[in-house]
């Protein structure tokens, strides 16, 4: 069976035969769960249902969930089954069926649907779980020698739902190993774990005790990649059809066939694994950056590129890998096709940027190796290896290979110690963030009776919560979450922040600070009791901050209009990469490789304002998702949509799927103004803009600034450009005269500067302090000296303000004799607390300690002398 067939067989089995609701894979970005950086397990997005605080859409659910794990990234490619991206097939029960059904159905799927050999199936159980043992042995008929009790078979994460689990293994045969007992549940490849059944039947308390859960849950996970390896009779996951087409593409591109060498196979496996991760992470809205999820993506992408270089691939190639991934995965994830151009654009820009970084890292490694050789060290220290890995993305394998080529080794243990220390810091940071659902148990509420009619007035406060627990009342100063019978507050979503306002009871008032939505659609508000006491169950008056809402509506509609205008000016290749709608401004991120020109900015602004002047009615309708897409409606990047969607249309101008607040007519925006444009990442630009009152206030400030400028220039506002032109011309003339004076001063100083010229091997050299206001002036002085010192080398320094500037130059004859000015100025800069470098012929550096300039110049002269020796 092909990988896509296995996935579909599993989901169809539980959907059609066992009454489960099939849900699409959730985004790799966790929703409302600050404890997770990325989704790493099938149950992670369903956590609110397992806690019992949120009512699931059905009590039986099945998914094939995309997952990312990078804890063992160094093992990827070296083992048969370590991956950064994988799919976890799962069937879940929230207080419905339990052990008997979970075990029976798992056995039925494995032996009757995909027809695995029963004699090759083994299970592990928790030693005290006699119930699971009896089901496997007496009901299924599994022999005792196929059931292994293991003390590790208990799943728990701190407090909350937990319980024993039962793992199912497949015996791949003696060619994978001959010690079944020791390999069961271990790291051996012969007995391959293919499915884990977790029986959540206890609730762990703070004191460490276990209480039976009122509603027992089932959480299962079957690895799609592992099942594919078993069914396709492959020795490792990478040889299945889920990976091998990518390997074949990379092998053809590099000219390194799979199976030729261990090193080559590892590189091909890494590329195939990482290409899948890169494609799906970008598709879910993750962009390369230096922190959080973006850093994980950047690290994975750069690692793939590095292994491509190890195979001899020098040019950009990730786009071709992404095409293969999307072609393979599109039957299950058709949305990848819609985002294909965007995914390739983001990956391509990051790949190009990394090539420059990689070259810089290679230069640094060369310096490190040379420094170690000078100190007669044959081992590159672990902290240096880690610096290369952490700063430049060098894997230790690449560093090790380059070091060996130069007769050196690396301190692998020191590197691993530094790596472990970093992981521990990351774990400690994550441990500080508590994982909890923001609201108390909502399952007692009848969601069908809750309304979201947009009107202020009286309603009932149905549920009051604090720190994820239900409370009956809250006093002044308490931060609370609230669920109302009718909630007029608009929840955060689609880039728009949540509504604010007030909730007033008989004896107290809550200042509403934010509004959010639970996975089941229930809206809750977050606020602080500002006066008196608020009680659960009381009738309250709710009031939305309507002025703020109107500002949000203007900016949200403005965001739609901005995207439409950008596509008209730049073309349809513009893709949204994120947005933020605030009351005072809007922010729009989009893919574009270069800064917008002033004309492009002006054109975009003009197009939006022309549409505002037309005062076009904004139409909002609801329709099925597929119908909306066929009508040409654009989807918000990274947003998850239901079957019925809301379409916001400005006839003849813009059509998007959106659940946010919008104006009734474009004329309500008043005016639109761009305030900034800049790059925020690899091929991603960001525009900020204002509408309405904010645009008017900015216009007033500009008018005031223009009047002040006219006053300073002693003219009228309309004369400002002319007077500035005259002032600039005058300044330019003065600067020219000043430059001539400085050049003459430098020439006059040459005689004294070069009085201490030394010579070795026929190469003259010296160092001196000169008068220069900045680095640019220092370089010009050096150019003059260079014309006078034929075939020589020199270093010049100056104090500029509170810092030191250094410049070094060498003629071709000096370079040929062994002088490297990049290393000369680097040594000199360290004396005065700075750094820098450059090429053999020319280099520059800076420093902080101005009192050490004399010593720095002396060190530079010494460095040149030593190089000539």
């Amino acid at each position: 069976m092909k990988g896509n067939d296995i996935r579909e067989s599993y989901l169809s089995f539980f959907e059609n035969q066992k009454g489960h609701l099939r849900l699409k894979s959730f985004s790799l970005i966790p929703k409302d769960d600050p404890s997770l950086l990325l989704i790493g397990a099938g149950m992670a997005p369903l956590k609110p249902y397992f806690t019992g605080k949120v009512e699931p859409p059905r009590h039986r659910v099945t998914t094939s969930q995309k997952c990312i794990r990078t804890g063992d990234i160094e093992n990827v490619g070296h083992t048969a089954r370590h991956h950064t991206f994988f799919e976890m097939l799962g069937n879940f029960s929230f207080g419905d069926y339990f052990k008997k059904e979970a075990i029976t159905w798992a056995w039925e799927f494995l032996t009757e649907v995909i027809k695995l050999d029963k004699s090759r199936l083994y299970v592990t159980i928790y030693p005290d779980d006699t119930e699971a043992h009896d089901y496997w042995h007496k009901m299924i008929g599994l022999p005792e020698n196929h059931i292994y009790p293991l003390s590790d078979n208990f799943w728990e994460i701190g407090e909350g739902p937990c319980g024993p689990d039962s793992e199912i293994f497949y015996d791949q045969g003696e060619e994978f190993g001959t010690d079944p007992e020791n390999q069961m549940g271990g790291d051996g490849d012969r007995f391959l774990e293919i499915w884990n059944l977790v029986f959540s039947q206890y609730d762990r308390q703070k004191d460490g005790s276990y209480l039976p859960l009122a509603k027992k849950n089932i959480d299962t996970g079957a690895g799609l990649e592992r099942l594919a390896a078993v069914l396709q009779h492959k020795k490792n996951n990478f040889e299945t059809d889920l990976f091998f087409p990518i390997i074949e593409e990379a092998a053809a591109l590099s000219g390194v066939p799979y199976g030729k060498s261990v090193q080559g196979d590892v590189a091909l496996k890494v590329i195939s694994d990482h290409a899948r991760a890169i494609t799906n992470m970008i598709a879910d809205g993750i962009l390369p950056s230096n922190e959080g999820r973006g850093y994980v993506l950047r690290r994975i992408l750069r690692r793939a590129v590095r292994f491509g270089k190890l195979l001899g691939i020098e040019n950009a190639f990730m786009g071709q890998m992404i095409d293969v991934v999307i072609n393979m995965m599109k039957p299950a994830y058709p949305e990848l096709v819609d985002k294909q151009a965007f995914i390739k654009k983001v990956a391509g820009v990051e790949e190009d940027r990394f090539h420059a970084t990689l070259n810089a890292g290679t230069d640094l490694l060369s310096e490190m190796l040379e420094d170690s050789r000078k100190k007669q060290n044959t081992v590159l220290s672990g902290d240096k290896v880690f610096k290369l890995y952490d700063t430049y993305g060098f894997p230790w394998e690449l560093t090790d290979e380059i070091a060996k080529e130069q007769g050196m080794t690396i301190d692998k243990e020191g590197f691993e110690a530094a790596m472990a220390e970093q992981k521990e810091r990351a774990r400690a940071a994550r441990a500080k963030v508590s994982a909890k659902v923001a609201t108390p148990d909502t399952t007692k509420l009848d969601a069908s009776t809750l309304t979201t009619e947009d009107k202020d007035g009286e309603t009932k406060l149905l549920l009051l919560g604090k720190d994820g627990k239900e409370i009956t009342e809250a006093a002044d100063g308490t931060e609370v979450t609230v669920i109302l019978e009718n909630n007029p507050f608009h929840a955060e979503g689609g880039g728009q922040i949540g509504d604010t306002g007030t909730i007033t009871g008989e004896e107290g008032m809550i200042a509403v600070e934010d509004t959010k939505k639970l996975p089941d659609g229930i809206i809750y508000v977050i606020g602080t009791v500002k006066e008196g006491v608020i009680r659960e169950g009381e009738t309250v008056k709710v009031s939305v901050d309507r002025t703020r809402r109107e500002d949000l509506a203007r900016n949200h509609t403005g965001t739609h209009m901005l995207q439409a205008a950008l596509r008209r000016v730049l073309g349809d290749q513009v893709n949204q990469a994120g947005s933020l709608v605030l009351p005072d401004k809007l922010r729009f991120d989009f893919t574009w490789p270069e800064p917008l020109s002033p004309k492009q900015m002006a054109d975009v602004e003009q197009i939006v304002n022309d549409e505002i002047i037309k005062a076009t009615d904004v139409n909002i309708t609801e329709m099925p998702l597929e119908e909306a897409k066929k009508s040409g409606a654009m989807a918000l990047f990274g947003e998850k949509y239901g079957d019925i969607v809301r379409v916001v249309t400005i006839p003849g101008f813009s059509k998007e799927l959106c659940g946010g607040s919008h104006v009734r007519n474009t004329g309500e925006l008043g005016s639109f103004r761009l305030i900034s444009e800049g790059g925020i990442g690899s091929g991603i630009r960001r525009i900020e803009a204002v509408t309405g009152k904010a645009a008017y206030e900015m216009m007033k400030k500009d008018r005031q600034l223009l009047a002040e400028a006219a006053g300073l220039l002693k003219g009228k506002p309309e004369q400002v450009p002319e007077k500035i032109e005259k002032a600039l011309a005058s300044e330019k003339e003065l600067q020219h005269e000043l430059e001539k004076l400085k050049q003459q001063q430098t020439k006059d100083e040459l005689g004294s500067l070069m009085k201490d010229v030394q010579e070795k091997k026929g190469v003259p050299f010296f160092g001196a302090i000169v008068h220069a206001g900045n680095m640019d002036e220092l370089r010009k002085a050096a150019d003059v000296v260079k014309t006078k010192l034929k075939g020589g080398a020199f270093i010049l320094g100056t104090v500029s303000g509170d810092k030191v500037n250094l410049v070094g130059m060498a003629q071709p004859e000096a370079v040929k004799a062994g002088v490297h000015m990049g290393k000369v100025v680097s040594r000199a800069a360290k004396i005065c607390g700075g750094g820098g470098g450059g090429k053999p012929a020319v280099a520059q550096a800076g420093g902080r300690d101005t009192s050490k300039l004399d010593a720095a110049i002396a060190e530079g002269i010494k460095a040149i002398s030593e190089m000539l020796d």
Side-chain angles (χ1 to χ4, degrees), residues 40 66 70 135 142 167 186 202 260 300 315 320-321 384 409 540 613 668 700 714 750 786 804 846:
K66 300 176 293 186
T70 57
Y135 282 135
L142 208 58
E167 297 168 324
Y202 299 112
K260 183 179 181 180
I300 291 172
N315 298 322
Q320 290 166 259
M321 303 300 109
K384 289 184 176 179
T409 59
V540 293
I613 292 169
E668 293 178 35
K700 285 204 305 181
K714 296 181 172 53
L750 269 180
K786 186 178 178 182
V804 172

mmCIF file of all heavy atoms in Angstrom, residues 40 66 70 135 142 167 186 202 260 300 315 320-321 384 409 540 613 668 700 714 750 786 804 846:
data_model
loop_
_atom_site.group_PDB
_atom_site.id
_atom_site.type_symbol
_atom_site.label_atom_id
_atom_site.label_comp_id
_atom_site.label_asym_id
_atom_site.label_seq_id
_atom_site.Cartn_x
_atom_site.Cartn_y
_atom_site.Cartn_z
ATOM 1 N N GLY A 40 3.513 18.505 18.193
ATOM 2 C CA GLY A 40 4.430 17.372 18.108
ATOM 3 C C GLY A 40 3.777 16.037 18.365
ATOM 4 O O GLY A 40 4.455 15.010 18.437
ATOM 5 N N LYS A 66 -0.319 16.404 11.259
ATOM 6 C CA LYS A 66 1.055 16.792 10.940
ATOM 7 C C LYS A 66 1.790 17.137 12.238
ATOM 8 O O LYS A 66 1.233 17.819 13.102
ATOM 9 C CB LYS A 66 1.058 18.023 10.027
ATOM 10 C CG LYS A 66 0.359 17.828 8.703
ATOM 11 C CD LYS A 66 0.311 19.107 7.888
ATOM 12 C CE LYS A 66 -0.580 20.149 8.541
ATOM 13 N NZ LYS A 66 -0.754 21.357 7.703
ATOM 14 N N THR A 70 12.034 18.268 16.877
ATOM 15 C CA THR A 70 13.440 18.516 16.528
ATOM 16 C C THR A 70 14.394 18.155 17.659
ATOM 17 O O THR A 70 15.580 18.457 17.583
ATOM 18 C CB THR A 70 13.655 19.999 16.152
ATOM 19 O OG1 THR A 70 13.228 20.824 17.246
ATOM 20 C CG2 THR A 70 12.872 20.350 14.910
ATOM 21 N N TYR A 135 -7.593 -8.456 27.834
ATOM 22 C CA TYR A 135 -8.175 -8.165 26.519
ATOM 23 C C TYR A 135 -7.270 -8.703 25.405
ATOM 24 O O TYR A 135 -7.746 -9.324 24.448
ATOM 25 C CB TYR A 135 -8.391 -6.657 26.330
ATOM 26 C CG TYR A 135 -9.612 -6.110 27.047
ATOM 27 C CD1 TYR A 135 -9.549 -4.927 27.773
ATOM 28 C CD2 TYR A 135 -10.840 -6.783 26.989
ATOM 29 C CE1 TYR A 135 -10.662 -4.414 28.421
ATOM 30 C CE2 TYR A 135 -11.960 -6.281 27.638
ATOM 31 C CZ TYR A 135 -11.867 -5.103 28.366
ATOM 32 O OH TYR A 135 -12.968 -4.607 29.004
ATOM 33 N N LEU A 142 -3.942 -13.296 21.760
ATOM 34 C CA LEU A 142 -2.502 -13.131 21.597
ATOM 35 C C LEU A 142 -1.780 -14.031 22.611
ATOM 36 O O LEU A 142 -2.104 -14.021 23.799
ATOM 37 C CB LEU A 142 -2.113 -11.662 21.832
ATOM 38 C CG LEU A 142 -0.879 -11.121 21.114
ATOM 39 C CD1 LEU A 142 -1.009 -11.258 19.609
ATOM 40 C CD2 LEU A 142 -0.662 -9.655 21.491
ATOM 41 N N GLU A 167 1.604 -0.609 23.770
ATOM 42 C CA GLU A 167 2.245 -0.381 22.478
ATOM 43 C C GLU A 167 2.202 -1.650 21.631
ATOM 44 O O GLU A 167 2.359 -2.754 22.153
ATOM 45 C CB GLU A 167 3.697 0.054 22.679
ATOM 46 C CG GLU A 167 3.819 1.385 23.422
ATOM 47 C CD GLU A 167 5.252 1.664 23.863
ATOM 48 O OE1 GLU A 167 5.957 0.695 24.225
ATOM 49 O OE2 GLU A 167 5.654 2.836 23.855
ATOM 50 N N GLY A 186 12.738 -1.324 23.124
ATOM 51 C CA GLY A 186 14.030 -0.648 23.127
ATOM 52 C C GLY A 186 14.293 0.071 21.823
ATOM 53 O O GLY A 186 13.373 0.413 21.084
ATOM 54 N N TYR A 202 -6.954 8.019 34.861
ATOM 55 C CA TYR A 202 -6.700 8.630 36.164
ATOM 56 C C TYR A 202 -6.518 10.136 36.017
ATOM 57 O O TYR A 202 -6.204 10.650 34.942
ATOM 58 C CB TYR A 202 -5.423 8.053 36.795
ATOM 59 C CG TYR A 202 -5.484 6.571 37.037
ATOM 60 C CD1 TYR A 202 -4.674 5.707 36.309
ATOM 61 C CD2 TYR A 202 -6.349 6.028 37.989
ATOM 62 C CE1 TYR A 202 -4.715 4.347 36.511
ATOM 63 C CE2 TYR A 202 -6.404 4.658 38.195
ATOM 64 C CZ TYR A 202 -5.589 3.817 37.455
ATOM 65 O OH TYR A 202 -5.648 2.467 37.656
ATOM 66 N N LYS A 260 25.170 4.410 -2.643
ATOM 67 C CA LYS A 260 26.580 4.366 -3.039
ATOM 68 C C LYS A 260 27.507 4.507 -1.840
ATOM 69 O O LYS A 260 28.563 3.878 -1.770
ATOM 70 C CB LYS A 260 26.860 5.474 -4.047
ATOM 71 C CG LYS A 260 28.292 5.462 -4.589
ATOM 72 C CD LYS A 260 28.504 6.562 -5.613
ATOM 73 C CE LYS A 260 29.925 6.544 -6.166
ATOM 74 N NZ LYS A 260 30.150 7.606 -7.161
ATOM 75 N N ILE A 300 16.116 24.060 10.182
ATOM 76 C CA ILE A 300 15.856 22.895 9.342
ATOM 77 C C ILE A 300 16.221 23.187 7.883
ATOM 78 O O ILE A 300 16.856 22.376 7.212
ATOM 79 C CB ILE A 300 14.378 22.465 9.460
ATOM 80 C CG1 ILE A 300 14.108 21.891 10.857
ATOM 81 C CG2 ILE A 300 14.015 21.440 8.394
ATOM 82 C CD1 ILE A 300 12.648 21.611 11.132
ATOM 83 N N ASN A 315 24.104 25.287 -6.204
ATOM 84 C CA ASN A 315 23.051 26.263 -6.496
ATOM 85 C C ASN A 315 21.799 25.979 -5.673
ATOM 86 O O ASN A 315 21.655 24.922 -5.064
ATOM 87 C CB ASN A 315 22.716 26.242 -7.992
ATOM 88 C CG ASN A 315 23.907 26.638 -8.842
ATOM 89 O OD1 ASN A 315 24.668 27.522 -8.480
ATOM 90 N ND2 ASN A 315 24.073 25.964 -9.982
ATOM 91 N N GLN A 320 12.929 22.800 -6.030
ATOM 92 C CA GLN A 320 12.656 21.533 -6.725
ATOM 93 C C GLN A 320 12.199 20.460 -5.736
ATOM 94 O O GLN A 320 11.330 19.640 -6.050
ATOM 95 C CB GLN A 320 13.923 21.064 -7.453
ATOM 96 C CG GLN A 320 14.276 21.945 -8.656
ATOM 97 C CD GLN A 320 15.675 21.697 -9.165
ATOM 98 O OE1 GLN A 320 16.581 22.466 -8.881
ATOM 99 N NE2 GLN A 320 15.868 20.620 -9.899
ATOM 100 N N MET A 321 12.793 20.452 -4.543
ATOM 101 C CA MET A 321 12.379 19.482 -3.514
ATOM 102 C C MET A 321 10.934 19.745 -3.079
ATOM 103 O O MET A 321 10.145 18.818 -2.892
ATOM 104 C CB MET A 321 13.300 19.567 -2.291
ATOM 105 C CG MET A 321 14.788 19.354 -2.571
ATOM 106 S SD MET A 321 15.160 17.742 -3.288
ATOM 107 C CE MET A 321 15.599 18.226 -4.959
ATOM 108 N N LYS A 384 34.041 26.091 20.310
ATOM 109 C CA LYS A 384 34.152 26.700 18.982
ATOM 110 C C LYS A 384 33.297 25.956 17.961
ATOM 111 O O LYS A 384 32.664 26.558 17.098
ATOM 112 C CB LYS A 384 35.611 26.724 18.541
ATOM 113 C CG LYS A 384 36.469 27.721 19.319
ATOM 114 C CD LYS A 384 37.889 27.776 18.785
ATOM 115 C CE LYS A 384 38.699 28.847 19.516
ATOM 116 N NZ LYS A 384 40.095 28.909 19.037
ATOM 117 N N THR A 409 41.193 17.248 14.381
ATOM 118 C CA THR A 409 39.937 16.631 14.820
ATOM 119 C C THR A 409 39.163 17.654 15.639
ATOM 120 O O THR A 409 39.662 18.738 15.945
ATOM 121 C CB THR A 409 40.197 15.376 15.676
ATOM 122 O OG1 THR A 409 40.982 15.755 16.822
ATOM 123 C CG2 THR A 409 40.931 14.310 14.884
ATOM 124 N N VAL A 540 -26.269 40.997 33.952
ATOM 125 C CA VAL A 540 -25.299 42.087 33.816
ATOM 126 C C VAL A 540 -25.620 42.915 32.583
ATOM 127 O O VAL A 540 -26.320 42.477 31.674
ATOM 128 C CB VAL A 540 -23.855 41.530 33.704
ATOM 129 C CG1 VAL A 540 -23.418 40.883 35.005
ATOM 130 C CG2 VAL A 540 -23.730 40.542 32.543
ATOM 131 N N ILE A 613 -13.094 57.130 -2.101
ATOM 132 C CA ILE A 613 -13.895 58.242 -2.631
ATOM 133 C C ILE A 613 -15.133 57.736 -3.364
ATOM 134 O O ILE A 613 -16.191 58.383 -3.357
ATOM 135 C CB ILE A 613 -13.021 59.118 -3.567
ATOM 136 C CG1 ILE A 613 -11.952 59.826 -2.739
ATOM 137 C CG2 ILE A 613 -13.861 60.125 -4.343
ATOM 138 C CD1 ILE A 613 -10.872 60.497 -3.562
ATOM 139 N N GLU A 668 -16.521 55.128 4.633
ATOM 140 C CA GLU A 668 -16.354 55.275 6.078
ATOM 141 C C GLU A 668 -14.887 55.317 6.494
ATOM 142 O O GLU A 668 -14.560 55.745 7.606
ATOM 143 C CB GLU A 668 -17.066 54.141 6.809
ATOM 144 C CG GLU A 668 -18.578 54.173 6.672
ATOM 145 C CD GLU A 668 -19.236 52.988 7.382
ATOM 146 O OE1 GLU A 668 -18.727 52.566 8.442
ATOM 147 O OE2 GLU A 668 -20.249 52.486 6.869
ATOM 148 N N LYS A 700 -2.481 66.506 10.003
ATOM 149 C CA LYS A 700 -2.330 67.728 10.792
ATOM 150 C C LYS A 700 -0.891 67.895 11.267
ATOM 151 O O LYS A 700 -0.332 68.998 11.252
ATOM 152 C CB LYS A 700 -3.280 67.703 11.995
ATOM 153 C CG LYS A 700 -4.733 67.963 11.646
ATOM 154 C CD LYS A 700 -5.532 68.492 12.833
ATOM 155 C CE LYS A 700 -5.447 67.596 14.050
ATOM 156 N NZ LYS A 700 -6.247 68.106 15.178
ATOM 157 N N LYS A 714 12.766 80.739 6.811
ATOM 158 C CA LYS A 714 12.337 82.114 6.556
ATOM 159 C C LYS A 714 11.654 82.243 5.194
ATOM 160 O O LYS A 714 12.038 83.057 4.325
ATOM 161 C CB LYS A 714 13.523 83.073 6.657
ATOM 162 C CG LYS A 714 14.126 83.138 8.058
ATOM 163 C CD LYS A 714 15.283 84.115 8.117
ATOM 164 C CE LYS A 714 15.755 84.318 9.544
ATOM 165 N NZ LYS A 714 16.073 83.073 10.256
ATOM 166 N N LEU A 750 52.400 63.705 5.209
ATOM 167 C CA LEU A 750 52.997 62.459 4.710
ATOM 168 C C LEU A 750 54.461 62.308 5.100
ATOM 169 O O LEU A 750 54.922 61.230 5.447
ATOM 170 C CB LEU A 750 52.871 62.391 3.180
ATOM 171 C CG LEU A 750 51.611 61.702 2.637
ATOM 172 C CD1 LEU A 750 51.642 61.718 1.112
ATOM 173 C CD2 LEU A 750 51.530 60.283 3.153
ATOM 174 N N LYS A 786 48.798 55.068 0.059
ATOM 175 C CA LYS A 786 49.035 53.906 -0.808
ATOM 176 C C LYS A 786 49.760 54.297 -2.095
ATOM 177 O O LYS A 786 50.597 53.547 -2.614
ATOM 178 C CB LYS A 786 47.695 53.242 -1.134
ATOM 179 C CG LYS A 786 47.815 51.942 -1.903
ATOM 180 C CD LYS A 786 46.435 51.337 -2.137
ATOM 181 C CE LYS A 786 46.521 50.063 -2.956
ATOM 182 N NZ LYS A 786 45.184 49.495 -3.230
ATOM 183 N N VAL A 804 37.618 54.072 18.158
ATOM 184 C CA VAL A 804 38.826 53.964 17.351
ATOM 185 C C VAL A 804 38.471 53.428 15.973
ATOM 186 O O VAL A 804 37.657 52.499 15.859
ATOM 187 C CB VAL A 804 39.847 53.017 18.025
ATOM 188 C CG1 VAL A 804 41.022 52.740 17.099
ATOM 189 C CG2 VAL A 804 40.329 53.601 19.340
ATOM 190 N N GLY A 846 37.254 48.489 14.041
ATOM 191 C CA GLY A 846 36.914 49.514 15.016
ATOM 192 C C GLY A 846 37.212 49.040 16.423
ATOM 193 O O GLY A 846 37.385 47.842 16.661
#
